[in-house]
Amino acid sequence: MAAVFLLVPNPGLAAECVRFPADGERQFDISRNGSLVGSQSFRFSRRDGQLLVRSAIDIEVTRGSTLLYRYRHDAEESWLAGRLQAFVSDTDDNGTRYLVRAERIEGIFRGRVNGQSFTVSGFVVPASFWHRDTPSSQVLWDGVDGEVKVVRGEDQGPERIEVLGETVEARRYELGGQIQRILWYDKRCALVRMSYLAQDGAKFVVQLR
């Protein structure tokens, strides 16, 4: 598969907005219809001029002692000079396994998912949602299945929400198309909250803690 990635300037980005977060870890709780079901984390670090982003998602939905759904995702992104250079991930979606390995070679992002090759051209923004350009991208690259997803982001303006026990002003975006999310970013364009509906209609909320 191949696609050209285009970015639309986002007038909602504040002056304090940073493109890449500082080193450190950001941890999130994941709830389903108000009940805690898992966690998500991003760890940012620098090495040899590259930004490394390690992410992990762990979800278990149960009814009593019965496991209804399990999701595990571990990934590492390598960035250099503002571009994604390499990506590896291992995902277990309730028993369905996805293994992704990809790297930028001569300006082209090439890789394999479960042995099937893919090629993506242009500026790649993965659908991990931490990147500030996520809401302004016309397409996102899905690091779980290796596919390019067409999206459209709508800036819904500032909204006051509770983050880490304090009320802060965040900017809310609605992402539609092949990936549907509601995303909240703080004044530095760091992700602080995300929500989405599962296929069964359950509401998932990912909240910074």
Side-chain angles (χ1 to χ4, degrees):
M1 65 187 77
V4 176
F5 284 74
L6 302 173
L7 292 178
V8 177
N10 191 340
L13 296 179
E16 302 93 334
C17 187
V18 293
R19 189 173 190 183
F20 295 107
D23 289 4
E25 187 171 15
R26 297 176 70 83
Q27 298 183 341
F28 297 76
D29 288 326
I30 301 176
S31 63
R32 176 184 182 273
N33 292 338
S35 299
L36 185 66
V37 294
S39 63
Q40 180 168 358
S41 65
F42 297 101
R43 181 175 297 171
F44 302 93
S45 62
R46 267 79 176 173
R47 186 179 66 201
D48 300 329
Q50 294 193 72
L51 169 68
L52 303 180
V53 184
R54 294 181 174 90
S55 59
I57 303 173
D58 189 341
I59 298 173
E60 285 191 0
V61 178
T62 60
R63 180 179 296 153
S65 60
T66 303
L67 178 65
L68 300 179
Y69 177 73
R70 172 177 288 163
Y71 184 88
R72 301 279 191 277
H73 174 75
D74 292 285
E76 181 175 287
E77 306 170 23
S78 300
W79 294 76
L80 180 65
R83 292 184 179 272
L84 183 64
Q85 300 297 313
F87 186 97
V88 297
S89 69
D90 184 347
T91 306
D92 180 351
D93 185 357
N94 208 34
T96 300
R97 190 85 175 273
Y98 297 93
L99 297 173
V100 175
R101 301 289 184 273
E103 62 181 327
R104 181 177 294 276
I105 302 175
E106 297 180 348
I108 304 297
F109 203 64
R110 307 174 187 273
R112 300 179 72 84
V113 53
N114 293 350
Q116 183 176 356
S117 62
F118 62 84
T119 300
V120 177
S121 63
F123 185 86
V124 177
V125 177
S128 44
F129 305 109
W130 65 266
H131 197 289
R132 75 168 195 184
D133 291 336
T134 300
S136 59
S137 298
Q138 296 176 348
V139 292
L140 296 172
W141 177 69
D142 193 329
V144 174
D145 59 19
E147 295 185 0
V148 174
K149 307 293 175 68
V150 178
V151 296
R152 59 183 182 277
E154 179 184 341
D155 183 350
Q156 297 187 325
E159 181 178 331
R160 297 188 68 79
I161 63 173
E162 186 172 319
V163 178
L164 300 176
E166 298 183 0
T167 300
V168 302
E169 186 173 280
R171 200 156 198 96
R172 172 179 167 140
Y173 298 88
E174 183 169 348
L175 197 66
Q178 291 181 288
I179 298 177
Q180 299 184 6
R181 297 286 190 277
I182 298 177
L183 305 164
W184 289 262
Y185 296 85
D186 66 14
K187 66 180 182 179
R188 295 183 64 81
C189 293
L191 180 69
V192 292
R193 180 187 291 176
M194 173 171 61
S195 71
Y196 60 94
L197 296 180
Q199 290 183 349
D200 63 356
K203 182 179 180 180
F204 281 78
V205 175
V206 183
Q207 175 75 44
L208 182 68
R209 61 175 165 87

